[in-house]
Amino acid sequence: MRPPVPVAVGDGAPERTLGPITQTDIVRFAGAGGDFNPLHHDVEFAHRAGFPRPIAMGQFQAGLLAGWASDWLGVEHLRSIEVRFVAPLAVGDSITLSGSVTALEQTEGGAIATVELRATNEGVIVATGTVQARVSTS
């Protein structure tokens, strides 16, 4: 197990941009999670629902944010994650993942950081969230 990452309020890891998101990305995620809603893979269904092309399921965005946070802080140090979906992410879009430490709390088990997460597509927020993780403050 790697040691907790040293952080201070305001710190963040480098942004990560992924994409463009492909239909294959969405179908692979659907297969892993069992979400076969046609909104995510059927072009005509997406059009009838008011979208120009199929959209990724919200958990896709949540998974990408969780991956970014765990790569930075260490999956073994994550304590909780909450994600709020704000806007759809569609085939052809790119997603930029970022976040920063907004609070540090000293507990009996060590320091816990609160990290505010953001996922954007060309500057438009598509998801926000919060991670709490064990960190080092030294």
Side-chain angles (χ1 to χ4, degrees):
M1 175 165 61
R2 73 181 200 195
V5 173
V7 299
V9 171
D11 287 355
E15 290 183 347
R16 177 182 294 164
T17 299
L18 304 167
I21 303 303
T22 67
Q23 187 65 58
T24 300
D25 294 329
I26 294 172
V27 169
R28 288 177 65 203
F29 192 86
D35 182 351
F36 296 104
N37 182 325
L39 186 58
H40 306 307
H41 61 83
D42 185 318
V43 174
E44 291 305 315
F45 188 90
H47 286 162
R48 287 192 305 273
F51 296 98
R53 53 198 185 277
I55 62 171
M57 51 289 290
Q59 291 302 321
F60 180 81
Q61 299 167 44
L64 294 176
L65 280 169
W68 177 86
S70 64
D71 286 351
W72 171 29
L73 300 165
V75 68
E76 66 274 24
H77 300 300
L78 296 186
R79 297 296 178 252
S80 68
I81 183 168
E82 296 178 14
V83 177
R84 179 175 173 264
F85 312 110
V86 179
L89 182 69
V91 170
D93 291 344
S94 292
I95 187 169
T96 300
L97 312 166
S98 62
S100 61
V101 177
T102 58
L104 289 169
E105 177 185 358
Q106 292 298 327
T107 69
E108 284 186 26
I112 301 293
T114 299
V115 178
E116 297 298 322
L117 305 172
R118 288 172 304 287
T120 61
N121 172 32
E122 296 185 13
V124 174
I125 295 174
V126 295
T128 60
T130 304
V131 163
Q132 291 200 326
R134 192 168 68 96
V135 296
S136 168
T137 58
S138 52

